[in-house]
Amino acid sequence: MTLLEIQNLRVHFPVRGLRIGAIPSTVKAVDGVSFTVAAGEAVGLVGESGCGKTTLGRAVVRLVEPTGGRIIFEGRDLTALGPGALRPLRRRFQMVFQDPFHSLDPRMTAGQSIAEALVAHRLAATASARRARVEDLLRDVGLDPEAADRFPHQFSGGQRQRIGIARALAVEPGLIVCDEPVSALDVSVQAQVVNLLQDLQRRRGLAYLFISHDLAVVEHLCQRLLVMYLGRVVESGPAREVCRSPSHPYTRALLSAVPSLRPSTGGERIRLEGDVPSPADPPPGCPFHPRCPVAEARCRTESPELRRTADRREVACHQVASSPQAP
Amino acid sequence: MPLLDIQDLRIDFGTTRVVDGVSLAIDEGQTLGLVGESGCGKSVTALSIGRLLATPPARHAGGRILLGGQEVLTLSSDGLRSIRGRVVSYIFQEPGASLNPVRRIGAQVLESLRLHAPSRATEAEVVRRLAGVGIPAPDQRARDYPHQLSGGMQQRVMIALALASEPRLLVADEPTTALDATVQAQIMDLLLDVQRRTGMAILLITHNLGLVADVARRVAVMYAGQIVEEAPARHLLSQPVHPYTRALIRSVPEIGVDRERLPALPGQVPVPGRWPAGCRFAPRCPSALASCATSPPGLEPVAPGHRVRCPVRPPAIP
């Protein structure tokens, strides 16, 4: 069952020129993205900094206003709803942020932070019902119920991220947008939080939009994967297959840059030159062509459409679209 | 004689021990990876090499640091000036925070040249240095302020600054942690290229085991202020002995490896001041013996060049 359907979503930011007389321009942070998330499905969203993945995640939960397109969640178009009509729906989609040090109010106890969500959505009538619910939630995320009375500074990074997850779970969402939820954590703690997210997905049938730059975590946790470059999706498909046999030259380069624990077995490295171009001034044609190792003349003028290839994937590349095996 | 020879280094912050008997050596032209999680003492160890720790609160509580044959810990301020930059330079995790935000990057590189190579402190040399760290259009970029550059380009500027003095040892403390994997690969390629050309030694501090596997010849793993395992990189990653190293390697997801769940370590890293008696890893250790809780293990050799702080010898990994 489709839980979330994103149709041609665009988020554009106006940019004032720094110098007097400079022409105002637009940053197309998200530029025509479409995808679906089924109930209980984890969809990974990967790409380099500046590719628009965080903006996309924030637009999905309406933390930034989309410029165009539709966000259909549980059958209702969120972009057509005003703040008042949106409010009761908000509890069905929640967000977990990257930095567990800055996403909790330092002056509220963990219990108060979690209970705040219950109060806002009128989900527990009495103080004792709230307290019981907070303790259940803390147990669900692997913390001691006594943690409710402690303040954020008394927790480690991993514990704080568990509190952030408990707060998102408090309102019984169907979808959680996770923005780099394990990137700020220590290696041994990352695995604990990844396992927790996986358990919660299975136990509660949660869906995730999991934003990360770590392809290995995405492959482990997600069923499907979207690769973004300069505001657009360049490849999408089953996470396992995309990670093991990437089609788009950008996906290949991303995967080849991930350092492997196994001593290199002579596999060739694709080194991307340069940085992601400025989204305020994207290159013409295929946005990836200036860094693409296999770009040809057509790529410099003609922007490739996202096309379905033979293997349940969509790829935006002239060369891949013409033949699923090449280049 | 190794270029850097740290012997039994102990550092306290106030009354709390944070580095507890660390010994490390790096030869010219070599890369040593120092791996560990937050609070293990790896950055404090690194900062102590150039005496960059504020004292107080930091206090040297024992041991020696020999850098190019000189004892760093007893150097006068003149002596320190002569080794900072010329013998040891640093780059850090957040290049944006280490650059002066109100000065053009060309001026910052020029300043570094004036300090360390006054005869070559010219605009042309600045442009050459920026080109040398792979900055495109260096003559134009020299006029940019740090905020006009991407994180990867900022880190290249930091490297140009650190290399201006032609150091014999570069301490790189999480140099690519804030960068994308594609940019991380570029920066590491650049550092290794400089190393090949100049014979500079690198101390690479990171929590990323994959990165270490890629670039370091030797690896030391720290936990709770101590080195728990040290070995040639290939050996450490294919045949880790210490239960902490083994758990760290297992808990990292890898592309192309199917696992139902990640084998996560229980619990968390103990903070300095609350290190357990006996083996500091024992409370989280899957193979702890009853004696581990009381008797602290020493760092013992298990193979040539391979030392481990654990009495348990696990079966070899096939």
Side-chain angles (χ1 to χ4, degrees):
Chain A
M1 191 193 83
T2 302
L3 180 72
L4 173 73
E5 182 173 1
I6 303 292
Q7 295 175 353
N8 195 23
L9 191 72
R10 279 166 291 137
V11 184
H12 297 180
F13 297 111
V15 193
R16 261 181 320 118
L18 282 175
R19 294 180 185 86
I20 293 165
I23 304 155
S25 64
T26 310
V27 168
K28 296 178 176 172
V30 178
D31 196 22
V33 169
S34 304
F35 64 93
T36 60
V37 180
E41 185 185 36
V43 175
L45 187 56
V46 303
E48 292 170 282
S49 1
C51 73
K53 56 188 193 298
T54 291
T55 304
L56 176 57
R58 287 174 176 248
V60 167
V61 296
R62 289 282 304 267
L63 285 179
V64 297
E65 280 304 301
T67 311
R70 308 215 297 161
I71 302 168
I72 297 159
F73 183 80
E74 293 182 329
R76 300 179 68 174
D77 183 359
L78 299 187
T79 50
L81 298 175
L86 188 63
R87 192 166 177 178
L89 295 182
R90 278 199 187 270
R91 80 177 182 84
R92 296 290 299 149
F93 48 91
Q94 290 290 306
M95 187 144 184
V96 171
F97 298 92
Q98 169 170 6
D99 191 338
F101 296 87
H102 294 139
S103 52
L104 293 173
D105 187 328
R107 295 175 304 175
M108 286 167 90
T109 63
Q112 286 168 334
S113 276
I114 297 168
E116 193 181 31
L118 296 172
V119 174
H121 289 281
R122 300 193 181 88
L123 291 177
T126 62
S128 62
R130 273 201 296 278
R131 176 76 194 190
R133 183 90 182 92
V134 165
E135 291 187 356
D136 284 346
L137 285 160
L138 287 169
R139 264 185 229 109
D140 281 354
V141 297
L143 289 174
D144 196 296
E146 284 159 28
D149 298 319
R150 284 189 275 150
F151 289 91
H153 74 268
Q154 293 171 291
F155 296 100
S156 68
Q159 290 170 328
R160 271 184 257 206
Q161 198 57 294
R162 287 176 193 267
I163 295 166
I165 294 168
R167 191 173 54 170
L169 290 176
V171 294
E172 289 166 18
L175 171 78
I176 299 184
V177 175
C178 305
D179 190 0
E180 302 271 11
V182 299
S183 307
L185 306 178
D186 269 321
V187 182
S188 72
V189 180
Q190 266 191 16
Q192 296 172 1
V193 174
V194 167
N195 285 341
L196 171 65
L197 289 170
Q198 202 172 30
D199 291 344
L200 292 171
Q201 185 195 8
R202 288 177 191 162
R203 278 210 309 266
R204 298 174 170 241
L206 270 174
Y208 296 125
L209 182 60
F210 190 88
I211 301 164
S212 179
H213 67 279
D214 188 335
L215 281 152
V217 170
V218 168
E219 193 212 358
H220 177 76
L221 189 69
C222 298
Q223 287 81 54
R224 274 192 312 127
L225 167 62
L226 306 167
V227 183
M228 277 185 83
Y229 191 77
L230 277 184
R232 297 187 203 175
V233 172
V234 296
E235 178 161 6
S236 71
R240 235 173 132 253
E241 279 123 75
V242 172
C243 284
R244 290 170 197 208
S245 59
S247 294
H248 196 284
Y250 178 62
T251 318
R252 290 166 179 238
L254 270 188
L255 279 158
S256 126
V258 178
S260 167
L261 281 179
R262 285 154 217 290
S264 53
T265 44
E268 68 178 296
R269 272 288 171 84
I270 307 162
R271 285 285 193 253
L272 278 187
E273 298 294 320
D275 291 324
V276 182
S278 161
D281 183 22
C286 170
F288 184 58
H289 87 257
R291 302 171 79 193
C292 181
V294 294
E296 47 183 41
R298 172 153 79 124
C299 305
R300 286 183 264 281
T301 53
E302 215 179 298
S303 179
E305 296 284 314
L306 197 58
R307 263 181 279 229
R308 192 160 284 275
T309 58
D311 45 357
R312 291 191 295 155
R313 280 197 228 180
E314 290 187 313
V315 182
C317 177
H318 291 308
Q319 310 202 15
V320 174
S322 56
S323 146
Q325 259 69 49
Chain B
M1 190 181 67
L3 173 66
L4 173 71
D5 191 4
I6 301 179
Q7 296 170 2
D8 199 26
L9 182 70
R10 285 152 210 273
I11 293 171
D12 293 349
F13 273 59
T15 54
T16 307
R17 171 101 1 131
V18 293
V19 172
D20 195 17
V22 165
S23 299
L24 283 175
I26 310 179
D27 290 327
E28 302 266 0
Q30 214 196 60
T31 301
L32 174 76
L34 186 56
V35 178
E37 299 181 275
S38 3
C40 72
K42 58 190 194 299
S43 290
V44 171
T45 302
L47 290 171
S48 64
I49 298 167
R51 287 256 303 270
L52 296 182
L53 292 169
T55 48
R59 196 174 63 85
H60 168 230
R64 313 205 309 153
I65 298 176
L66 296 169
L67 182 59
Q70 272 186 301
E71 169 59 82
V72 173
L73 292 167
T74 55
L75 275 185
S76 64
S77 51
D78 280 349
L80 275 178
R81 246 197 311 278
S82 72
I83 63 155
R84 286 179 185 158
R86 232 155 285 179
V87 186
V88 57
S89 270
Y90 284 80
I91 55 174
F92 297 101
Q93 175 170 351
E94 289 202 30
S98 308
L99 291 165
N100 185 339
V102 297
R103 297 192 66 203
R104 296 176 199 274
I105 60 161
Q108 298 188 48
V109 177
L110 188 64
E111 181 184 32
S112 190
L113 287 170
R114 276 205 189 109
L115 271 171
H116 297 292
S119 60
R120 275 176 288 153
T122 62
E123 299 285 343
E125 182 68 13
V126 167
V127 171
R128 210 180 66 76
R129 297 285 176 135
L130 291 176
V133 293
I135 293 180
D139 47 335
Q140 289 162 39
R141 291 291 79 76
R143 291 195 294 273
D144 282 350
Y145 290 96
H147 77 269
Q148 293 171 286
L149 304 179
S150 67
M153 285 299 146
Q154 288 176 346
Q155 194 59 290
R156 287 175 192 271
V157 174
M158 281 309 299
I159 292 170
L161 288 174
L163 299 182
S165 52
E166 290 165 15
R168 292 163 69 193
L169 171 67
L170 180 72
V171 179
D173 190 352
E174 303 270 9
T176 58
T177 304
L179 305 175
D180 283 314
T182 50
V183 180
Q184 166 171 286
Q186 296 169 5
I187 296 289
M188 292 317 301
D189 280 353
L190 169 64
L191 290 180
L192 294 181
D193 182 48
V194 172
Q195 181 174 56
R196 266 189 300 273
R197 281 188 281 127
T198 64
M200 171 179 82
I202 299 175
L203 175 60
L204 175 67
I205 294 154
T206 179
H207 66 276
N208 186 335
L209 286 159
L211 189 61
V212 161
D214 252 17
V215 302
R217 171 127 37 112
R218 292 185 61 74
V219 184
V221 181
M222 278 186 81
Y223 188 81
Q226 296 176 323
I227 289 177
V228 295
E229 183 158 10
E230 190 195 348
R234 275 164 186 268
H235 202 69
L236 184 113
L237 291 157
S238 61
Q239 293 296 333
V241 172
H242 196 283
Y244 177 60
T245 318
R246 292 165 76 91
L248 268 191
I249 292 173
R250 270 202 314 266
S251 69
V252 181
E254 272 220 84
I255 288 164
V257 180
D258 281 322
R259 279 185 301 194
E260 186 56 22
R261 280 174 74 76
L262 295 176
L265 263 175
Q268 50 194 309
V269 179
V271 295
R274 296 214 199 130
W275 291 334
C279 171
R280 288 170 193 173
F281 184 62
R284 304 174 75 189
C285 181
S287 36
L289 313 170
S291 58
C292 296
T294 49
S295 53
L299 197 55
E300 307 289 349
V302 290
H306 191 164
R307 298 183 297 160
V308 178
R309 193 182 293 280
C310 178
V312 180
R313 295 287 166 267
I317 294 169

